[in-house]
Amino acid sequence: MPRKRARLTTSDLDEEKRKKMLNEKLASLCKKAHELSILCDVKVGIICSIPEKTDVFAWPSLIEAQNIVNDYLAFPEHKLVTNNDYLKPIVKNREKYIRKLEEITEEKEMKNLFNELFEGKELFNVREIKGLLKLIATKRVQFEQRKIQLNEVVANDNNVGEENVGHL
């Protein structure tokens, strides 16, 4: 049966017991870090700021821990990213997606309105009229582009036919 741990607070311990516990925990942490560095072949460094002391605890040494941190920060793909920098492209993509959905929705609404108008519905709303004009303009552009494409296909077919006439 597992042993239950008693939760201790700072008021439960006197200063000597707290220092002793801190030293034991740091020793245990250093042992685990050493095992991790050997088993996984990674660089591990620990830097711990202790409030009562003016200096910091560093493992394996202060210089080696600083070198590990400097090496980490030197890689461009490991740069620290703020939430704002991380979320900006996500928000931008979502806004772009929402605008696309709004355009699709407006286009479908205008097509439905055009069909209703064709069936005899009267227009009362300025927004509906402007939307229909926009729909007609886009359809006209699409029609003109398709017309140009077909004329190019016909012209290419005529050129191919003229080239083959002399080779019979």
Side-chain angles (χ1 to χ4, degrees):
M1 204 166 182
R3 184 176 73 160
K4 290 186 179 179
R5 290 185 132 189
R7 295 200 96 190
L8 299 174
T9 61
T10 55
S11 61
D12 294 341
L13 301 173
D14 65 350
E15 196 64 30
E16 286 298 317
K17 287 183 180 178
R18 286 182 62 225
K19 286 181 182 178
K20 183 179 176 186
M21 184 181 285
L22 176 64
N23 289 336
E24 290 173 2
K25 297 290 183 182
L26 286 175
S28 174
L29 182 63
C30 292
K31 181 180 175 186
K32 294 287 184 185
H34 182 67
E35 291 173 1
L36 179 68
S37 69
I38 291 172
L39 292 174
C40 299
D41 193 28
V42 295
K43 293 181 178 181
V44 179
I46 300 172
I47 300 175
C48 181
S49 173
I50 302 170
E52 294 88 29
K53 296 182 180 179
T54 56
D55 57 337
V56 295
F57 171 82
W59 181 88
S61 70
L62 183 59
I63 294 170
E64 287 182 50
Q66 286 176 338
N67 288 338
I68 291 170
V69 171
N70 290 336
D71 289 345
Y72 173 78
L73 294 175
F75 288 113
E77 59 267 357
H78 293 98
K79 292 290 183 186
L80 298 178
V81 178
T82 62
N83 285 339
N84 194 21
D85 293 339
Y86 173 74
L87 292 175
K88 269 184 185 177
I90 294 172
V91 169
K92 198 174 204 177
N93 287 339
R94 292 293 173 138
E95 288 173 347
K96 186 177 177 182
Y97 178 72
I98 288 170
R99 279 193 301 273
K100 179 95 170 150
L101 287 177
E102 288 173 345
E103 290 173 5
I104 291 170
T105 302
E106 183 179 353
E107 185 177 337
K108 287 184 179 184
E109 285 176 356
M110 291 305 119
K111 286 181 181 179
N112 285 340
L113 187 61
F114 184 77
N115 290 336
E116 290 174 1
L117 182 65
F118 187 72
E119 294 172 356
K121 179 187 173 195
E122 295 183 17
L123 297 178
F124 298 108
N125 191 344
V126 174
R127 180 185 160 272
E128 292 175 347
I129 295 171
K130 286 183 178 180
L132 279 175
L133 290 173
K134 185 178 176 183
L135 176 68
I136 291 170
T138 57
K139 291 297 178 184
R140 185 174 183 163
V141 168
Q142 290 173 354
F143 175 76
E144 292 296 328
Q145 289 173 347
R146 182 70 178 143
K147 185 177 168 183
I148 292 169
Q149 288 174 348
L150 288 174
N151 287 337
E152 289 174 356
V153 169
V154 169
N156 287 340
D157 287 344
N158 288 340
N159 290 340
V160 170
E162 292 173 3
E163 291 172 0
N164 289 336
V165 170
H167 298 296
L168 292 176

